[in-house]
Amino acid sequence: MKTRIRDAKRPARPRGPRPSGAVAHALTKGLFLLAGLATTVLGFSWFVDEHDAAGAYRTAPVCGTAAHTPGTDCVRHETGKVTAISTDIDGESTTYRLTVARETAPGHSYTVNSAVFYDAKVGVDVELAVFRGRVAEVSYHGHRAQNPGTPWLTSVEVALLVGLGSALTATGVSHSRLGLRAAPFYFSTAVFVAAMAFLGCLVFVSSQQPLAVTLAAPVLGWLSMTACVIVATWDC
């Protein structure tokens, strides 16, 4: 006599992402992370290049000397006459300015330090260091005042790269389950980081402090802000 064998119930499939889906998810996260880090590093490299360019006149040879190779950048020294002096007081901060008439260009107002301002009077001759067509330094009786240009364009470029890099890095590192719904948050993060990077580039390049100081502060700031974003979206 044959015995009927009851149909066995199929075991329930384990819940959770399939192995192939988990691998694709991990690869996507990794690509976001690599893209974010690469974009951020590029932004900081442009910041370093601008910092070096702003202070390049210090090591450049003097025009017309044996150290100067024709066709390369050099520093040309001019004499200018002080035609006016002025101060601009904003709260507890005072900005000192000298208006100088140059030998080869119209007069211009330059921001100087207090030592140059109080030593130079109207009518005296000051020394100007001209590099790449602009006055890089004003000096008088051993007192020197740097005159760095304002890196508006580079600051915008650095800000865009660092802001985008922060959003991509946070997307790649965070464990958020929000998916595309987290995009507005990451966009807000990119805007905030970009604004801070823009201001930081303007301040640190213009201050012309040692590179170790000017680079350490922005990098630490970027790491802190990116870490805050990652923690804020952790397991959301």
Side-chain angles (χ1 to χ4, degrees), residues 95-116:
T95 302
Y96 305 95
R97 293 189 177 90
L98 298 181
T99 301
V100 181
R102 294 174 54 185
E103 297 175 349
T104 59
H108 192 272
S109 179
Y110 301 101
T111 300
V112 297
N113 53 39
S114 58
V116 173

Side-chain angles (χ1 to χ4, degrees), residues 64-111:
T65 62
H68 175 228
T69 302
T72 60
D73 293 328
C74 61
V75 177
R76 186 176 72 255
H77 291 289
E78 293 183 6
T79 300
K81 187 176 293 293
V82 177
T83 59
I85 60 176
S86 63
T87 58
D88 184 10
I89 301 176
D90 183 11
E92 297 181 356
S93 176
T94 303
T95 302
Y96 305 95
R97 293 189 177 90
L98 298 181
T99 301
V100 181
R102 294 174 54 185
E103 297 175 349
T104 59
H108 192 272
S109 179
Y110 301 101
T111 300

Side-chain angles (χ1 to χ4, degrees), residues 44 214-224:
F44 279 116
T214 58
L215 185 59
V219 169
L220 290 176
W222 178 82
L223 289 174
S224 300

Side-chain angles (χ1 to χ4, degrees), residues 40 43-44 46-47 50 149-164 166 189-207 214 217-219 221-222 225:
T40 304
F44 279 116
W46 287 6
F47 167 79
E50 184 65 25
T150 304
W152 296 108
L153 179 58
T154 301
S155 296
V156 172
E157 295 170 341
V158 169
L160 292 176
L161 288 174
V162 174
L164 176 61
S166 296
T189 299
V191 172
F192 177 75
V193 174
M196 294 297 100
F198 175 77
L199 295 175
C201 188
L202 287 178
V203 171
F204 287 116
V205 170
S206 300
S207 66
T214 58
V219 169
W222 178 82
M225 287 185 287

Side-chain angles (χ1 to χ4, degrees), residues 135-151:
V135 174
E137 187 177 86
V138 179
S139 59
Y140 183 70
H141 285 184
H143 300 302
R144 300 179 182 276
Q146 299 175 8
N147 183 49
T150 304

